[in-house]
Amino acid sequence: MRLPVTVWGLALGQALLVSGNILLVSVTALIGQQIAPSLSLITLPVALQFLGLMGVTLPAAHLMRWLGRKTGFLIGNLIGIGGAILAYFALAAGDFTLFCLSTFLLGMAIGVGQQYRFAAIEGCPSSLHPRAISLVMAGGVIAAILGPNLAIWGEKLFPATQYLGAFAVLIGLYMLTTLLIAFIPLKKPTRAELQGEVRSYAELFRQPQLVAAITAGVIGYAVMVLIMTATPLAMQGCGFGFSSTASVIQWHVLGMFAPSFITGRLITRYSETKVIQSGCLLLILCVLLNQLGTSYWHFWTALVALGIGWNFTFIGATSLLTHTYRPAEKAKVQGINDFLVFGSAAIGSLLAGYWQSLLGWEVLNLLMLPAIAVAMLMVAISSKKGQLKKGVSTLFR
């Protein structure tokens, strides 16, 4: 069975979104270094971007429940255009306060765009949900190549002001995505979504599947961000130049997104539980590789394993999450899931540098093992309870 055109359109939208994210990550801290009034504020624009992303997840999910996906995505992209324009003028004027406000707005736009993977499953039969989520996430493969090259190309647009061209490119990306979303056929909210019964958080979190899905998503993302963010610092401490570090990170990003072409089929064939557990084992492999040495190839293989492990845990957890809510509850569940997952990513990015300097590379990695074990345990418990429930219902049928 073929995937609907909507899924392909959202996959392209995801590619454009992640390209903009990579471009933004490439220049934000460097701009902070140039125009921040003090050294302590250099990474404030990055932190505000994460705060914008976290803060918008719940409101965006509920807004889409009331107004529909198309309206919600268009509003998110318009915020992105506004944020990119503001960043352009803030950088041209050297205004740090305005630049901080712009990254907060861009974080909000990124947060709204995280709903693309959920929108992809609407209008698909349930049997195609894993493949639809995977295809949207596969857009990151294009972004891994396009994002860094756009940042380099943007530098040539306005050579007089460094990084200014990057935001001209970012404005163009958000405008292109806005046009794309305007023409994609996205479903309007149904009566069941608008008027159906909604359980409380206490009732929802009594579901082992929901707890397992969110736990796997949170831990998988936090572990990935923490190790990925600390890797350049560890490589620098081992004497590697920027080109070596950039190469390792680029392969890591490809590891994050390239498996998406098959992850959905693996879920359909083997189940979310087995794919998530395989992802956790790859995260453990990353930690073990980082204990064995600090050569370029140790970093390279560890970061590729980290990327693939994140892909399996994140897509597996997203697919598992879709089994845990009724139509009227999707905004509530998807919103709290993204708030917790991306909140964990923000915390991971903030802790990475501190733990790397305080504890060292090997200990930082070892600290990931208990968290990964918790994720594996919760998924195993959920799977066992699901099998028992299915067995009981079959017995009394």
Side-chain angles (χ1 to χ4, degrees):
M1 192 179 295
R2 292 182 178 180
L3 291 168
V5 66
T6 300
V7 177
W8 290 93
L10 289 168
L12 179 56
Q14 178 79 1
L16 295 172
L17 175 76
V18 178
S19 295
N21 294 359
I22 293 173
L23 186 151
L24 196 59
V25 167
S26 301
V27 301
T28 303
L30 297 172
I31 291 169
Q33 195 172 38
Q34 283 187 354
I35 66 174
S38 70
L39 291 174
S40 61
L41 297 175
I42 286 174
T43 57
L44 180 60
V46 179
L48 287 170
Q49 180 185 323
F50 273 111
L51 287 173
L53 192 160
M54 288 171 57
V56 82
T57 48
L58 279 167
H62 287 287
L63 181 70
M64 290 183 196
R65 180 194 173 198
W66 300 324
L67 302 178
R69 294 290 190 190
K70 185 182 287 286
T71 301
F73 289 144
L74 288 173
I75 291 171
N77 278 289
L78 289 174
I79 292 171
I81 292 171
I85 291 172
L86 185 61
Y88 178 92
F89 285 107
L91 184 56
D95 191 318
F96 183 71
T97 302
L98 279 183
F99 185 70
C100 287
L101 177 59
S102 74
T103 59
F104 182 81
L105 292 173
L106 289 166
M108 290 176 63
I110 294 166
V112 174
Q114 299 302 326
Q115 293 279 320
Y116 287 166
R117 71 192 196 279
F118 292 122
I121 66 176
E122 296 165 7
C124 289
S126 58
S127 61
L128 291 180
H129 285 184
R131 284 179 58 194
I133 295 167
S134 288
L135 182 63
V136 171
M137 295 304 296
V141 176
I142 299 172
I145 300 166
L146 190 61
N149 285 299
L150 284 175
I152 294 166
W153 180 71
E155 282 290 277
K156 300 175 183 177
L157 291 177
F158 303 100
T161 305
Q162 196 174 18
Y163 309 124
L164 191 62
F167 292 99
V169 172
L170 195 58
I171 294 167
L173 284 174
Y174 274 110
M175 286 182 170
L176 186 58
T177 310
T178 303
L179 288 173
L180 176 67
I181 294 298
F183 287 102
I184 290 176
L186 293 169
K187 285 185 66 177
K188 293 182 179 179
T190 64
R191 179 176 293 182
E193 292 169 0
L194 292 171
Q195 300 175 5
E197 183 183 353
V198 179
R199 289 169 288 178
S200 66
Y201 280 121
E203 290 178 285
L204 288 167
F205 276 96
R206 289 194 191 107
Q207 301 175 93
Q209 273 192 326
L210 178 60
V211 174
I214 292 180
T215 302
V218 164
I219 291 175
Y221 221 121
V223 168
M224 186 277 291
V225 169
L226 223 158
I227 294 178
M228 177 191 71
T229 307
T231 294
L233 301 174
M235 291 186 72
Q236 184 183 54
C238 293
F240 290 98
F242 177 73
S243 60
S244 297
T245 302
S247 172
V248 166
I249 295 299
Q250 187 169 39
W251 278 100
H252 164 68
V253 174
L254 286 170
M256 288 173 64
F257 294 109
S260 300
F261 291 107
I262 63 165
T263 306
R265 295 182 185 275
L266 292 175
I267 290 171
T268 302
R269 184 169 182 178
Y270 297 109
S271 79
E272 287 96 350
T273 297
K274 289 181 179 177
V275 169
I276 293 171
Q277 299 286 42
S278 298
C280 289
L281 290 174
L282 284 164
L283 296 179
I284 292 172
L285 176 62
C286 166
V287 170
L288 295 178
L289 286 167
N290 283 330
Q291 304 304 307
L292 295 175
T294 54
S295 71
Y296 173 84
W297 291 108
H298 283 99
F299 284 113
W300 187 91
T301 51
L303 265 287
V304 170
L306 180 69
I308 300 171
W310 171 85
N311 181 279
F312 285 2
T313 55
F314 186 69
I315 294 179
T318 300
S319 182
L320 186 62
L321 190 80
T322 63
H323 302 306
T324 66
Y325 52 79
R326 301 165 184 165
E329 296 168 341
K330 70 176 184 180
K332 190 172 188 176
V333 174
Q334 291 170 4
I336 193 65
N337 175 77
D338 278 8
F339 177 80
L340 294 172
V341 168
F342 296 112
S344 74
I347 293 169
S349 67
L350 291 171
L351 286 176
Y354 178 68
W355 280 8
Q356 170 64 19
S357 60
L358 180 69
L359 304 171
W361 178 239
E362 288 80 9
V363 175
L364 179 147
N365 275 268
L366 288 174
L367 286 176
M368 303 300 103
L369 292 177
I372 298 168
V374 168
M376 295 184 75
L377 178 63
M378 297 306 297
V379 171
I381 290 171
S382 166
S383 177
K384 190 171 183 179
K385 287 186 176 180
Q387 289 172 357
L388 287 172
K389 187 176 179 180
K390 188 183 290 184
V392 170
S393 63
T394 303
L395 184 66
F396 288 96
R397 189 172 295 170

